[in-house]
Amino acid sequence: MKVRTLAFVMLAVAIATVGCGSKQEDTTETVVAADGETEVETGGSYAEAMIDPTAGNDANGMAIFTDRGGEISLQLDISKAPAGPLAAHIHEFGDCSAPDGGSAGGHWNPDGQDHGKWGEDVHHLGDLGNIEIDENGRGMLALTTERWSMGTGDANDIVGKAIIVHAGADDFMTQPTGAAGGRIACGVIVKK
């Protein structure tokens, strides 16, 4: 099944590389889609989050999580956002009811780690990184990992959490938020 999202200029393809032992490294390559549309191949089970703007903001988009036998891929597409790098995180509660997105709680951190950068030794499971937003307000982030589960009810289950897009870039150092600023968009992750 294919899920077509809004037309975007940029398409990022996550390439997971196998590290030594249990460590998994995730890398991202940026390419331009020929037809300007983003497609997500959902050959396994999947979850999605429709991302809506918080009060006074316009940013919106969609996150698709695809599970292919224990390896989960995320494709996060954002539009109508301010240009530049903007942080994205998974937050602990699937609740976007507060006008400022505060009802989603803090960063999802079931392992009790310090905030950091995805792919580094120390980071929250919800530390997704920065989305590079172009001059047209569009951007995309993609990654693949074996560290999440989908619909299992385990501590690493992404379902029932929220995706938050922040007003600024993540500095990957400031604890516990990365100094990413206010919440400009929020969406609840729901298994389909």
Side-chain angles (χ1 to χ4, degrees):
M1 168 197 275
K2 289 186 178 182
V3 177
R4 288 195 180 261
T5 59
L6 303 170
F8 291 107
V9 175
M10 307 255 331
L11 170 67
V13 177
I15 302 170
T17 57
V18 178
C20 298
S22 63
K23 183 178 176 185
Q24 162 116 15
E25 292 181 32
D26 298 317
T27 59
T28 303
E29 177 184 348
T30 302
V31 296
V32 176
D35 62 358
E37 291 188 10
T38 301
E39 290 186 5
V40 179
E41 194 68 40
T42 56
S45 62
Y46 75 100
E48 68 181 25
M50 298 298 296
I51 300 168
D52 295 314
T54 57
N57 295 294
D58 296 319
N60 65 71
M62 176 179 260
I64 301 290
F65 296 84
T66 307
D67 184 350
R68 292 186 182 91
E71 185 175 79
I72 296 179
S73 296
L74 163 64
Q75 181 170 314
L76 173 58
D77 294 299
I78 298 297
S79 62
K80 296 186 180 178
L86 300 181
H89 302 114
I90 299 175
H91 283 243
E92 59 189 333
F93 306 123
D95 182 354
C96 295
S97 62
D100 66 353
S103 52
H107 292 185
W108 176 49
N109 185 20
D111 298 334
Q113 297 290 319
D114 282 343
H115 176 73
K117 186 175 184 179
W118 186 268
E120 300 289 322
D121 288 336
V122 177
H123 61 87
H124 301 154
L125 276 185
D127 288 341
L128 301 178
N130 291 320
I131 307 167
E132 191 61 44
I133 306 295
D134 68 19
E135 64 279 355
N136 297 312
R138 299 179 188 138
M140 199 273 219
L141 180 144
L143 62 87
T144 300
T145 184
E146 294 175 350
R147 298 185 63 207
W148 296 335
S149 68
M150 183 187 299
T152 63
D154 294 339
N156 69 341
D157 189 348
I158 57 169
V159 175
K161 309 299 184 273
I163 294 266
I164 294 284
V165 178
H166 290 272
D170 191 326
D171 68 9
F172 307 117
M173 296 179 295
T174 303
Q175 300 299 323
T177 65
R183 302 170 186 205
I184 63 170
C186 183
V188 178
I189 303 169
V190 179
K191 189 166 190 228
K192 295 296 187 173

